Amino acid sequence: MSLRELQERIEHIKRESQEALQRCRSVKDCEGVRVTFLGRRGKVTTLFEYLKDLSGEERPQAGRLLNELKSHIEAQLEARAYQLKAQELEEQLQKERLDVTLPGRAYRLGTLHVITQTLREIYRIFQQMGFEVYQTREVETDEMNFQLLNIPPDHPAREMQSTFYTTTPGVILRTHTSPGQIRVMRERCPEPIRVILPGKCYRYEQITPRSEIQFTQVEGLAVGRGVRMSDLKGVLTEFARQMFGPETAVKLRGSYFPFTEPSVELDIRCILCEGRGCRVCKGTGWLEILGAGMVHPTVLQNGGYDPEEFTGFAFGMGPERIAMLKHRIEDIRLFLGNDLRFLEQFG
Ligand code: PHE
């Protein structure tokens, strides 16, 4: 090959390598180009073999031209690889871009059940008046639930509270929270007592918009020397006003429970019609809120307290009924119905 021809080849390879590099789409492609031109059997490398065909004067010039070609392609390769690398990085950054200003996905938070909220409100009011919250058992004995509360086996009051029995004779699900009265008295005697006893109760009854087989009650019990009916009245009036509003009118109406004497029921002026008479108060203008009375001497005695020395008052209320009145809920079955559309209204 003559020097001329070699020069032409050099020019040709220069252009060829230039084009090859332009076609490269990645750093890896560049490596391919390097092998093609500068590898051991590459186009530039093999050109060096023609040097021996040239004359002594031409050879240094040709050698210089070939070395220039080699370093030219090396430089071009490096520049192109650098360019592609930057491009790849840029693409990756675009693709994996994080928008830190995007709002996060909100957690769906549950809310307290409306009965839990009502119970807490009741606790708050009675705690202010010095009552402690005392939990007792839901599975009770017939003795605690009835007999020690002055309800003997053939007492007609048992019919008011249809009972769930267990397979163990004498063991039942409590039909009210009143058996807790006996348990607290037996534990605390002869100390004075001021407690509320909240919890679930069970009655084997037809389920209707007004009655469920499972419901809650909050019992109240105060025992001491000189506890009077007026104390009961004061405590219940304060409760009604904190629960239903400071202007709430209350009245005590004579009633009957085997475990209190005298027994009363607390009515509040209807919070819906303000006493004019409506469907909810059945035209009477009054709503029954709870049962109460002075602890029967026999019950005090069953708790260990001498009725000659001690007196006490007790009351029992249904949080479901209170929540139904406060929130205008017309069906007690909604509380345990697990319908989120209902439950979510009490956030
Ligand atoms: N235990 C009664 C009931 O379930 C309520 C009550 C409690 C009445 C305490 C008087 C005293 O109906």
Coordinates of all heavy atoms in Angstrom, one line a residue, residues 174-244:
R174 N -75.2 -12.3 83.3 CA -75.9 -11.3 84.1 C -77.0 -10.6 83.3 O -76.8 -10.3 82.1 CB -75.0 -10.3 84.7 CG -74.3 -9.4 83.8 CD -73.4 -8.4 84.5 NE -72.6 -7.6 83.6 CZ -71.6 -6.8 84.0 NH1 -71.2 -6.7 85.3 NH2 -70.9 -6.1 83.1
T175 N -78.1 -10.3 83.9 CA -79.2 -9.7 83.2 C -79.2 -8.2 83.5 O -80.0 -7.4 82.9 CB -80.6 -10.2 83.6 OG1 -80.7 -10.0 85.1 CG2 -80.7 -11.7 83.3
H176 N -78.4 -7.8 84.4 CA -78.2 -6.3 84.8 C -76.9 -6.2 85.5 O -76.2 -7.2 85.8 CB -79.4 -5.8 85.6 CG -79.7 -6.6 86.8 ND1 -80.6 -6.2 87.8 CD2 -79.2 -7.8 87.3 CE1 -80.7 -7.1 88.7 NE2 -79.9 -8.1 88.5
T177 N -76.4 -5.0 85.8 CA -75.2 -4.8 86.5 C -75.3 -4.8 88.0 O -74.3 -4.8 88.7 CB -74.5 -3.5 86.0 OG1 -75.5 -2.4 86.0 CG2 -73.8 -3.6 84.7
S178 N -76.5 -4.9 88.5 CA -76.8 -4.9 89.9 C -76.0 -5.9 90.7 O -75.6 -5.7 91.9 CB -78.3 -4.9 90.2 OG -78.9 -3.8 89.6
P179 N -75.7 -7.2 90.2 CA -75.0 -8.1 91.0 C -73.6 -7.5 91.4 O -73.0 -7.9 92.5 CB -74.8 -9.3 90.1 CG -75.2 -8.9 88.8 CD -76.2 -7.8 89.0
G180 N -73.1 -6.6 90.7 CA -71.8 -5.9 91.0 C -71.9 -5.2 92.4 O -70.9 -5.1 93.1
Q181 N -73.2 -4.8 92.7 CA -73.4 -4.1 94.0 C -72.9 -5.0 95.1 O -72.2 -4.6 96.0 CB -74.8 -3.8 94.2 CG -75.4 -2.7 93.4 CD -76.8 -2.3 93.8 OE1 -77.2 -2.5 95.0 NE2 -77.7 -1.9 92.9
I182 N -73.3 -6.3 95.1 CA -73.0 -7.3 96.1 C -71.5 -7.5 96.1 O -70.8 -7.5 97.2 CB -73.7 -8.6 95.9 CG1 -75.2 -8.4 95.8 CG2 -73.3 -9.6 97.0 CD1 -75.9 -8.1 97.1
R183 N -70.9 -7.6 94.9 CA -69.4 -7.9 94.9 C -68.6 -6.7 95.5 O -67.7 -6.9 96.2 CB -69.0 -8.2 93.4 CG -69.6 -9.5 92.9 CD -68.9 -9.9 91.6 NE -69.5 -11.2 91.2 CZ -69.2 -12.4 91.6 NH1 -68.2 -12.5 92.5 NH2 -69.8 -13.5 91.2
V184 N -69.0 -5.5 95.1 CA -68.3 -4.3 95.7 C -68.4 -4.3 97.2 O -67.5 -4.1 97.9 CB -68.7 -3.0 95.0 CG1 -67.9 -1.8 95.5 CG2 -68.6 -3.1 93.5
M185 N -69.7 -4.4 97.6 CA -69.9 -4.3 99.1 C -69.1 -5.4 99.8 O -68.5 -5.1 100.8 CB -71.4 -4.5 99.4 CG -72.2 -3.2 99.1 SD -73.9 -3.3 99.7 CE -74.8 -4.2 98.5
R186 N -69.1 -6.6 99.3 CA -68.4 -7.7 100.0 C -66.9 -7.4 100.0 O -66.2 -7.8 100.9 CB -68.7 -9.0 99.4 CG -70.1 -9.4 99.7 CD -70.4 -10.9 99.3 NE -71.7 -11.2 99.9 CZ -72.3 -12.4 99.7 NH1 -71.7 -13.3 99.0 NH2 -73.5 -12.7 100.2
E187 N -66.4 -6.7 99.0 CA -65.0 -6.4 98.9 C -64.6 -5.2 99.8 O -63.5 -5.2 100.4 CB -64.5 -6.1 97.5 CG -63.0 -6.0 97.3 CD -62.7 -5.3 96.0 OE1 -62.7 -6.0 94.9 OE2 -62.3 -4.1 96.0
R188 N -65.5 -4.2 99.8 CA -65.1 -3.0 100.5 C -65.6 -2.9 102.0 O -65.1 -2.0 102.7 CB -65.7 -1.8 99.7 CG -65.1 -1.6 98.3 CD -63.7 -1.1 98.4 NE -63.0 -1.3 97.1 CZ -63.0 -0.4 96.1 NH1 -63.7 0.8 96.3 NH2 -62.4 -0.6 95.0
C189 N -66.5 -3.7 102.4 CA -67.1 -3.6 103.7 C -66.0 -3.6 104.8 O -65.1 -4.4 104.7 CB -68.0 -4.8 104.0 SG -68.9 -4.7 105.5
P190 N -66.0 -2.7 105.8 CA -67.0 -1.7 106.1 C -66.7 -0.3 105.6 O -67.2 0.7 106.2 CB -67.0 -1.7 107.6 CG -65.5 -1.9 107.9 CD -64.9 -2.7 106.8
E191 N -65.9 -0.1 104.5 CA -65.5 1.2 104.0 C -66.7 1.8 103.3 O -67.6 1.1 102.8 CB -64.4 1.1 103.0 CG -63.1 0.5 103.6 CD -62.5 1.5 104.6 OE1 -62.5 2.7 104.3 OE2 -62.1 1.0 105.7
P192 N -66.8 3.2 103.3 CA -67.8 3.8 102.5 C -67.5 3.5 101.0 O -66.4 3.3 100.6 CB -67.7 5.3 102.8 CG -66.6 5.4 103.8 CD -65.9 4.1 104.0
I193 N -68.6 3.5 100.2 CA -68.5 3.1 98.8 C -69.0 4.3 97.9 O -70.1 4.8 98.2 CB -69.2 1.8 98.4 CG1 -68.6 0.6 99.2 CG2 -69.3 1.5 96.9 CD1 -69.5 -0.6 99.1
R194 N -68.3 4.6 96.8 CA -68.9 5.4 95.7 C -68.3 5.0 94.4 O -67.2 5.3 94.0 CB -68.5 6.9 96.0 CG -69.7 7.8 95.7 CD -69.3 9.3 95.9 NE -68.5 9.6 97.0 CZ -67.9 10.8 97.2 NH1 -68.2 11.8 96.3 NH2 -67.2 11.1 98.2
V195 N -69.1 4.1 93.7 CA -68.6 3.5 92.5 C -69.7 3.5 91.4 O -70.9 3.6 91.7 CB -68.2 2.0 92.7 CG1 -67.0 1.8 93.6 CG2 -69.4 1.1 93.2
I196 N -69.2 3.4 90.1 CA -70.1 3.1 89.0 C -69.6 1.8 88.4 O -68.4 1.5 88.4 CB -70.2 4.2 88.0 CG1 -68.9 4.6 87.4 CG2 -71.0 5.4 88.5 CD1 -69.0 5.6 86.2
L197 N -70.5 0.9 88.0 CA -70.2 -0.4 87.5 C -70.7 -0.5 86.1 O -71.9 -0.8 85.9 CB -70.8 -1.5 88.4 CG -70.6 -1.4 89.9 CD1 -71.9 -1.6 90.7 CD2 -69.5 -2.4 90.3
P198 N -69.9 -0.3 85.1 CA -70.3 -0.4 83.7 C -70.1 -1.8 83.1 O -69.3 -2.5 83.6 CB -69.4 0.6 83.0 CG -68.1 0.5 83.8 CD -68.5 0.1 85.2
G199 N -70.9 -2.1 82.1 CA -70.5 -3.4 81.4 C -71.7 -3.9 80.6 O -72.8 -3.4 80.6
K200 N -71.4 -5.0 80.0 CA -72.4 -5.7 79.1 C -73.4 -6.5 79.9 O -73.0 -7.1 80.9 CB -71.7 -6.6 78.1 CG -70.8 -5.8 77.1 CD -70.3 -6.8 76.0 CE -69.3 -6.1 75.2 NZ -67.9 -6.4 75.7
C201 N -74.6 -6.6 79.5 CA -75.6 -7.4 80.1 C -76.4 -8.1 79.0 O -76.3 -7.7 77.8 CB -76.6 -6.5 80.9 SG -75.9 -5.5 82.2
Y202 N -77.1 -9.2 79.4 CA -77.7 -10.1 78.4 C -79.1 -10.4 78.9 O -79.3 -10.8 80.0 CB -76.8 -11.3 78.2 CG -75.4 -11.0 77.9 CD1 -74.5 -10.8 78.9 CD2 -75.0 -11.0 76.6 CE1 -73.2 -10.5 78.6 CE2 -73.6 -10.7 76.3 CZ -72.7 -10.4 77.3 OH -71.4 -10.1 77.0
R203 N -80.0 -10.4 77.9 CA -81.4 -10.9 78.2 C -81.9 -11.6 77.1 O -81.8 -11.2 75.9 CB -82.3 -9.7 78.6 CG -82.0 -9.1 79.9 CD -83.0 -8.0 80.3 NE -82.4 -7.2 81.4 CZ -82.9 -6.1 82.0 NH1 -84.1 -5.7 81.6 NH2 -82.3 -5.5 83.0
Y204 N -82.5 -12.8 77.4 CA -83.1 -13.6 76.4 C -84.4 -13.1 76.0 O -85.5 -13.5 76.5 CB -83.2 -15.1 76.9 CG -83.6 -16.1 76.0 CD1 -83.0 -16.3 74.8 CD2 -84.7 -16.9 76.2 CE1 -83.4 -17.2 73.9 CE2 -85.1 -17.9 75.4 CZ -84.5 -18.0 74.2 OH -84.9 -19.0 73.3
E205 N -84.4 -12.2 75.0 CA -85.6 -11.5 74.6 C -85.7 -11.4 73.1 O -84.8 -11.6 72.4 CB -85.6 -10.1 75.2 CG -85.9 -10.0 76.6 CD -85.8 -8.6 77.2 OE1 -85.2 -7.7 76.5 OE2 -86.4 -8.4 78.3
Q206 N -86.9 -11.1 72.7 CA -87.2 -10.8 71.3 C -86.4 -9.6 70.9 O -86.4 -8.6 71.6 CB -88.7 -10.5 71.1 CG -89.1 -10.3 69.7 CD -89.2 -11.6 68.9 OE1 -89.7 -12.6 69.4 NE2 -88.8 -11.5 67.6
I207 N -85.6 -9.7 69.8 CA -84.9 -8.5 69.3 C -85.9 -7.6 68.5 O -86.5 -8.0 67.6 CB -83.7 -8.9 68.5 CG1 -82.7 -9.7 69.3 CG2 -83.0 -7.6 67.9 CD1 -81.6 -10.3 68.5
T208 N -86.0 -6.3 69.0 CA -86.9 -5.4 68.3 C -86.1 -4.1 68.2 O -85.0 -3.9 68.7 CB -88.1 -5.1 69.2 OG1 -87.7 -4.4 70.4 CG2 -88.8 -6.5 69.6
P209 N -86.7 -3.1 67.6 CA -86.0 -1.7 67.5 C -85.7 -1.2 68.9 O -84.9 -0.3 69.1 CB -87.0 -0.9 66.7 CG -87.8 -1.8 65.9 CD -87.9 -3.1 66.7
R210 N -86.4 -1.7 69.9 CA -86.3 -1.1 71.3 C -85.5 -2.0 72.2 O -85.1 -1.6 73.3 CB -87.6 -0.9 71.9 CG -88.6 -0.2 71.0 CD -89.1 1.1 71.6 NE -88.3 2.2 71.2 CZ -87.8 3.2 72.0 NH1 -88.2 3.1 73.3 NH2 -87.1 4.1 71.5
S211 N -85.3 -3.3 71.9 CA -84.6 -4.2 72.8 C -83.7 -5.2 72.1 O -84.0 -5.7 71.0 CB -85.6 -5.0 73.7 OG -86.2 -6.0 72.9
E212 N -82.5 -5.3 72.7 CA -81.5 -6.2 72.1 C -81.2 -7.3 73.2 O -81.5 -7.1 74.4 CB -80.2 -5.4 71.9 CG -79.9 -5.1 70.4 CD -79.4 -6.2 69.6 OE1 -79.4 -7.4 70.1 OE2 -79.1 -6.0 68.4
I213 N -80.6 -8.4 72.8 CA -80.2 -9.4 73.7 C -78.9 -9.1 74.4 O -78.6 -9.6 75.5 CB -80.1 -10.9 73.1 CG1 -79.1 -10.9 72.0 CG2 -81.5 -11.3 72.6 CD1 -78.9 -12.3 71.4
Q214 N -78.1 -8.2 73.8 CA -76.9 -7.8 74.5 C -76.9 -6.2 74.5 O -77.2 -5.6 73.5 CB -75.6 -8.2 73.8 CG -74.4 -7.7 74.4 CD -73.1 -7.8 73.5 OE1 -72.9 -8.9 72.9 NE2 -72.5 -6.7 73.4
F215 N -76.7 -5.7 75.7 CA -76.7 -4.2 75.8 C -75.8 -3.8 77.0 O -75.2 -4.7 77.6 CB -78.1 -3.7 76.1 CG -78.8 -4.4 77.3 CD1 -78.7 -3.8 78.5 CD2 -79.4 -5.7 77.1 CE1 -79.3 -4.5 79.6 CE2 -79.9 -6.3 78.2 CZ -79.9 -5.7 79.5
T216 N -75.6 -2.6 77.2 CA -74.7 -2.2 78.3 C -75.6 -1.5 79.4 O -76.7 -1.0 79.1 CB -73.6 -1.2 77.9 OG1 -74.2 -0.1 77.2 CG2 -72.6 -1.9 77.0
Q217 N -75.1 -1.5 80.6 CA -75.7 -0.8 81.7 C -74.5 -0.1 82.5 O -73.4 -0.5 82.4 CB -76.4 -1.7 82.7 CG -77.8 -2.1 82.2 CD -78.6 -2.7 83.4 OE1 -78.1 -3.1 84.4 NE2 -79.9 -2.8 83.2
V218 N -74.9 1.0 83.2 CA -74.0 1.6 84.1 C -74.7 1.6 85.5 O -75.8 2.3 85.6 CB -73.5 3.0 83.7 CG1 -72.6 3.5 84.9 CG2 -72.7 2.9 82.4
E219 N -74.2 0.9 86.4 CA -74.8 0.8 87.7 C -74.1 1.9 88.6 O -72.9 2.2 88.4 CB -74.5 -0.6 88.3 CG -75.2 -0.9 89.6 CD -76.6 -1.5 89.3 OE1 -76.9 -1.7 88.2 OE2 -77.3 -1.7 90.3
G220 N -74.8 2.4 89.6 CA -74.1 3.3 90.5 C -74.4 2.8 91.9 O -75.5 2.3 92.1
L221 N -73.5 3.0 92.8 CA -73.7 2.6 94.2 C -72.9 3.5 95.1 O -71.7 3.7 95.0 CB -73.2 1.1 94.4 CG -73.3 0.6 95.8 CD1 -74.8 0.4 96.2 CD2 -72.6 -0.8 96.0
A222 N -73.7 4.0 96.1 CA -73.0 4.8 97.2 C -73.5 4.2 98.5 O -74.7 4.0 98.7 CB -73.4 6.2 97.1
V223 N -72.6 3.8 99.4 CA -72.9 3.3 100.7 C -72.1 4.0 101.7 O -70.9 4.3 101.5 CB -72.7 1.8 100.8 CG1 -73.0 1.3 102.2 CG2 -73.5 1.0 99.8
G224 N -72.8 4.4 102.8 CA -72.0 5.1 103.9 C -73.0 5.4 105.1 O -74.1 4.9 105.1
R225 N -72.5 6.1 106.0 CA -73.3 6.5 107.1 C -74.0 7.8 106.7 O -73.4 8.8 106.3 CB -72.5 6.8 108.4 CG -71.9 5.5 109.0 CD -71.1 5.8 110.2 NE -70.5 4.5 110.7 CZ -69.3 4.0 110.2 NH1 -68.7 4.6 109.2 NH2 -68.9 2.9 110.7
G226 N -75.4 7.8 106.8 CA -76.1 9.1 106.5 C -76.3 9.4 105.1 O -76.5 10.5 104.7
V227 N -76.2 8.4 104.2 CA -76.5 8.6 102.7 C -78.0 8.7 102.6 O -78.7 7.8 103.1 CB -75.9 7.5 101.9 CG1 -76.4 7.7 100.4 CG2 -74.4 7.4 102.0
R228 N -78.5 9.8 102.0 CA -79.9 10.0 101.9 C -80.5 10.1 100.5 O -79.7 10.2 99.5 CB -80.3 11.3 102.6 CG -79.9 11.3 104.1 CD -80.4 12.5 104.8 NE -79.9 13.8 104.2 CZ -78.9 14.5 104.7 NH1 -78.3 14.0 105.8 NH2 -78.5 15.6 104.1
M229 N -81.8 10.0 100.4 CA -82.5 10.1 99.1 C -82.1 11.4 98.4 O -82.0 11.4 97.2 CB -84.0 10.0 99.4 CG -84.8 9.9 98.2 SD -85.0 8.2 97.7 CE -85.9 8.3 96.2
S230 N -81.9 12.5 99.2 CA -81.6 13.8 98.6 C -80.3 13.7 97.9 O -80.0 14.4 97.0 CB -81.7 14.9 99.7 OG -80.8 14.6 100.8
D231 N -79.3 12.9 98.5 CA -78.0 12.7 97.8 C -78.2 12.1 96.5 O -77.6 12.5 95.5 CB -77.1 11.8 98.7 CG -76.8 12.5 100.0 OD1 -76.5 13.7 100.1 OD2 -76.9 11.8 101.1
L232 N -79.1 11.1 96.4 CA -79.4 10.4 95.2 C -79.9 11.4 94.2 O -79.5 11.5 93.0 CB -80.4 9.3 95.4 CG -81.0 8.6 94.2 CD1 -79.9 7.9 93.4 CD2 -82.1 7.6 94.5
K233 N -80.9 12.2 94.6 CA -81.6 13.1 93.8 C -80.6 14.2 93.2 O -80.6 14.5 92.0 CB -82.7 13.9 94.6 CG -83.6 14.7 93.7 CD -84.7 15.3 94.5 CE -85.4 16.4 93.7 NZ -86.3 17.2 94.5
G234 N -79.7 14.6 94.1 CA -78.7 15.6 93.7 C -77.7 15.0 92.6 O -77.4 15.7 91.6
V235 N -77.3 13.8 92.9 CA -76.3 13.2 92.0 C -77.0 13.0 90.6 O -76.4 13.3 89.6 CB -75.8 11.8 92.6 CG1 -75.1 11.0 91.5 CG2 -74.8 12.1 93.7
L236 N -78.2 12.5 90.6 CA -78.9 12.2 89.3 C -79.3 13.5 88.6 O -79.2 13.5 87.3 CB -80.1 11.3 89.6 CG -79.9 9.9 90.1 CD1 -81.2 9.1 90.3 CD2 -78.9 9.1 89.2
T237 N -79.6 14.5 89.3 CA -79.9 15.8 88.6 C -78.7 16.3 88.0 O -78.7 16.8 86.8 CB -80.5 16.8 89.7 OG1 -81.6 16.2 90.3 CG2 -80.9 18.1 89.0
E238 N -77.6 16.3 88.7 CA -76.3 16.8 88.1 C -75.9 16.0 86.9 O -75.5 16.5 85.9 CB -75.2 16.7 89.2 CG -73.8 17.1 88.7 CD -73.7 18.5 88.3 OE1 -74.6 19.3 88.6 OE2 -72.7 18.9 87.6
F239 N -76.1 14.7 87.0 CA -75.8 13.8 85.8 C -76.7 14.2 84.6 O -76.2 14.4 83.5 CB -76.1 12.3 86.2 CG -76.1 11.4 85.0 CD1 -74.9 11.2 84.3 CD2 -77.3 10.9 84.5 CE1 -75.0 10.4 83.1 CE2 -77.3 10.2 83.3 CZ -76.2 9.9 82.7
A240 N -78.0 14.3 84.8 CA -78.9 14.6 83.7 C -78.5 16.0 83.1 O -78.6 16.1 81.9 CB -80.3 14.6 84.2
R241 N -78.2 16.9 83.9 CA -77.9 18.3 83.4 C -76.6 18.3 82.6 O -76.4 19.0 81.6 CB -77.8 19.3 84.5 CG -79.2 19.4 85.1 CD -79.6 20.7 85.8 NE -81.0 20.7 86.1 CZ -81.5 21.1 87.2 NH1 -80.8 21.6 88.2 NH2 -82.8 21.1 87.4
Q242 N -75.6 17.5 83.1 CA -74.3 17.4 82.3 C -74.5 16.6 81.0 O -73.9 16.9 80.0 CB -73.2 16.8 83.2 CG -72.7 17.8 84.3 CD -71.2 17.6 84.5 OE1 -70.5 17.3 83.6 NE2 -70.9 17.9 85.8
M243 N -75.3 15.6 81.1 CA -75.5 14.8 79.9 C -76.4 15.4 78.9 O -76.1 15.3 77.7 CB -76.1 13.4 80.4 CG -76.0 12.3 79.4 SD -74.3 12.1 78.9 CE -74.2 10.5 78.5
F244 N -77.5 16.0 79.3 CA -78.5 16.5 78.3 C -78.6 18.0 78.3 O -79.4 18.6 77.5 CB -79.9 15.9 78.7 CG -79.9 14.4 78.5 CD1 -79.9 13.6 79.7 CD2 -80.0 13.8 77.3 CE1 -79.9 12.2 79.5 CE2 -80.0 12.4 77.1 CZ -80.0 11.6 78.3

